[in-house]
């Protein structure tokens, strides 16, 4: 359950609220906007460094990594306060939530010093090289090859849908290092700086707009990567991959709850008296109650798949209904459909068409809905594979 009246949690929340009241950048300071998920404007870099230095970036981590050893309920309170004020946690979300987190779990002390801390302090930005043209949902089918040669690896292959790669300084890249091993066993994780010779990044437009450049194709041609950039053990990259997605999923349900709350607010006029709007309200409540269960000591990690599936599909369904309820006006694009806040991410209040189009990312990224259903069936319901 949610321990809303826990004095320690509420004291923690109050301290964070006071910090935000004192340090939050002004709208004038935040004039420059982010162009991709690895483009962090100077003001946002400075803001993230302030969060890190004061222990409010990742409060569950120790002070050396931008935290203060907060409990899970306190971490939830931290994210809830950010959401309440429409503050985007980081304009390099994969760098913060996946790549730096993975390095803290699997990296060496030197990798934490050289890569994780600079990513956390927004001194550099990072992107995640997982998906390939023939390895999207089935990531273990990846073919990008890394061949060990003395003190380095030589990498050849291609990645696709690599968000923010053209603005990133480094890629956490999953490669095949043993082509003879079973597909889950011969994978390794490498940190590949984007300025390495042989790395080519090609951004391409999304469905949202021609100038919406976040997705990338990334090509590796005889790219030489030092052995010290291997994250985790050789051929044990699947553990790192699962850990990376686990970091992404743990409190991911809260971001879906925030999107549902946005829809409750912004679609209230068109949804009045409609069954779909009542379903939206119930989905939001169900998601929050199930999410609070994860705060207890007996939580099952597989239940995160329930939260991911419910949250992502509820956002997609409600976004479609909201778009349809607007009629032809819902197709007006670009448009603004919610209140602007300079610390938030503009696509969250973009046109109804764009909000629906972007909802598909939630049912794909971090493990597709089909994968989540398999996990639920096998690990929670005990059904055969």
């Amino acid at each position: 359950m949610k321990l809303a009246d826990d004095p320690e949690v509420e004291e923690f929340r109050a301290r964070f609220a006071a910090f935000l009241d004192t340090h939050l950048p002004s709208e004038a300071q935040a004039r420059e906007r982010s162009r991709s998920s690895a483009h962090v404007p100077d003001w946002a870099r400075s803001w993230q460094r302030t969060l890190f230095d004061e222990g409010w970036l990742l409060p569950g981590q120790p002070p050396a990594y931008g935290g203060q050893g907060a409990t899970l309920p306190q971490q939830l309170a931290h994210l809830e306060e950010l959401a309440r004020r429409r503050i985007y946690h980081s304009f390099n979300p994969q760098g913060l939530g996946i790549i730096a987190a993975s390095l803290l779990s699997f990296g060496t002390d030197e990798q934490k010093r050289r890569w994780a801390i600079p990513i956390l302090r927004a001194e550099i930005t990072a992107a995640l090289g997982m998906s390939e043209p023939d390895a999207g949902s089935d990531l273990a089918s990846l073919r990008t090859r890394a061949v060990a040669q003395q003190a380095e690896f030589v990498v050849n292959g291609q990645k696709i849908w690599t968000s923010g790669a053209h603005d990133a300084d480094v890629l956490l890249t999953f490669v095949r290092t043993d082509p003879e091993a079973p597909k889950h066993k011969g994978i390794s994780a490498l940190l590949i700086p984007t300025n390495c010779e042989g790395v080519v990044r090609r951004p391409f437009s999304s469905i949202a707009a021609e100038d919406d450049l976040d997705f990338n194709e990334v090509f590796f041609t005889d790219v030489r990567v030092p052995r010290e950039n291997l994250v985790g053990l050789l051929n044990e990259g699947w553990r790192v991959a699962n850990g990376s997605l686990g970091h992404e999923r743990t409190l991911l349900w809260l971001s879906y709850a925030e999107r549902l709350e946005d829809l409750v607010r912004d679609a209230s006029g068109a949804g009045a008296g409609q069954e779909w709007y009542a379903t939206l309200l119930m989905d939001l409540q169900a998601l929050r109650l199930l999410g609070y269960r994860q705060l207890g000591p007996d939580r099952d990690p597989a239940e995160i798949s329930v939260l991911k599936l419910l949250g992502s599909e509820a956002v997609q369904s409600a976004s479609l209904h909201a778009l349809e309820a607007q009629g032809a006006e819902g197709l007006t694009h670009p448009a603004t459909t919610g209140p602007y806040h300079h610390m938030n991410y503009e696509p969250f209040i973009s046109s109804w068409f764009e909000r629906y189009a972007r909802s598909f990312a939630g049912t794909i990224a971090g493990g597709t809905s089909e994968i989540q259903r398999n996990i639920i069936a096998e690990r929670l319901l005990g059904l055969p594979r």
Side-chain angles (χ1 to χ4, degrees), residues 77-351:
H78 169 264
L79 293 176
E80 286 180 331
E81 191 64 23
L82 291 175
R84 186 181 71 81
R85 297 177 182 236
R86 304 296 184 222
I87 299 172
Y88 201 40
H89 195 180
S90 171
F91 286 91
N92 183 208
Q94 289 188 336
L96 175 66
I98 300 178
I99 298 159
S102 297
L103 290 171
L104 295 182
S105 295
F106 299 99
T108 63
D109 289 342
E110 172 61 17
Q111 288 171 345
K112 294 174 186 178
R113 183 197 65 79
R114 182 181 175 189
W115 300 106
I117 292 176
I119 292 170
L120 292 171
R121 302 190 77 247
E123 294 164 354
I124 63 175
T125 61
L128 184 65
M130 273 191 167
S131 296
E132 297 185 3
D134 295 316
S137 299
D138 185 11
L139 292 171
S141 296
L142 64 86
R143 297 180 181 178
T144 295
R145 182 79 189 279
V147 178
Q149 291 186 0
Q150 297 178 345
E152 61 189 9
F153 294 95
V154 179
V155 180
N156 285 277
Q158 178 188 357
K159 297 293 179 179
I160 192 74
W161 313 112
T162 313
S163 299
H166 60 300
D167 287 318
D169 298 298
V170 65
L171 306 175
L172 178 60
T173 310
F174 291 86
V175 296
R176 188 158 300 284
T177 42
D178 185 354
E180 304 302 322
K183 67 179 186 178
H184 290 86
K185 299 294 185 181
I187 294 172
S188 298
L190 294 177
L191 288 163
I192 303 181
T194 55
N195 61 1
C196 284
E197 184 176 353
V199 176
V200 175
R201 298 162 286 168
R202 295 179 183 170
F204 59 91
S205 302
S206 76
I207 192 174
E210 187 174 354
D211 62 352
D212 181 48
L213 299 177
D214 193 36
F215 292 140
N216 280 253
E217 295 177 292
V218 183
F219 299 89
F220 305 94
T221 304
D222 294 332
V223 178
R224 297 186 175 275
V225 182
R227 271 188 177 265
E228 60 260 30
N229 287 21
L230 173 69
V231 180
L233 299 176
L234 183 67
N235 298 324
E236 294 293 332
W238 193 244
R239 290 185 64 241
V240 180
N242 280 332
S244 298
L245 295 177
H247 289 305
E248 183 180 27
R249 293 173 185 155
T250 301
L251 286 174
L252 184 63
W253 67 268
L254 193 60
S255 68
Y256 293 128
E258 186 179 356
R259 299 289 74 74
L260 291 172
E261 288 181 344
D262 290 345
L263 287 162
V264 167
R265 176 196 66 203
D266 300 335
S268 58
Q274 299 294 312
E275 182 177 335
W276 68 264
Y277 191 76
T279 299
L280 164 60
L281 295 171
M282 290 187 289
D283 284 344
L284 172 58
Q285 181 72 354
L287 181 62
R288 284 204 172 276
L289 292 175
L290 288 170
Y292 294 146
R293 276 172 49 91
Q294 291 296 303
L295 301 179
D298 299 324
R299 61 185 179 273
D300 185 338
E303 290 185 10
I304 293 174
S305 290
V306 176
L307 297 173
K308 204 271 187 183
L309 183 65
L310 170 60
S312 62
E313 296 205 343
V315 169
Q316 188 172 110
S317 176
S319 299
L320 174 59
H321 285 300
L323 170 63
E324 292 176 334
Q326 305 297 323
E329 292 184 4
L331 297 175
T332 302
H333 180 73
T336 300
T337 54
Y340 173 79
H341 192 286
H342 65 282
M343 295 300 294
N344 207 355
Y345 182 49
E346 284 90 331
F348 294 159
I349 59 166
S350 56
S351 72

Side-chain angles (χ1 to χ4, degrees), residues 14-43:
R15 285 196 294 112
F16 184 44
F19 166 83
L20 293 174
D21 290 340
T22 302
H23 294 90
L24 200 67
S26 68
E27 185 169 349
Q29 291 171 318
R31 190 176 305 275
E32 183 185 1
R33 309 311 296 167
S34 175
R35 298 190 301 267
S36 80
S37 56
H39 172 252
V40 183
D42 288 343
W43 68 266

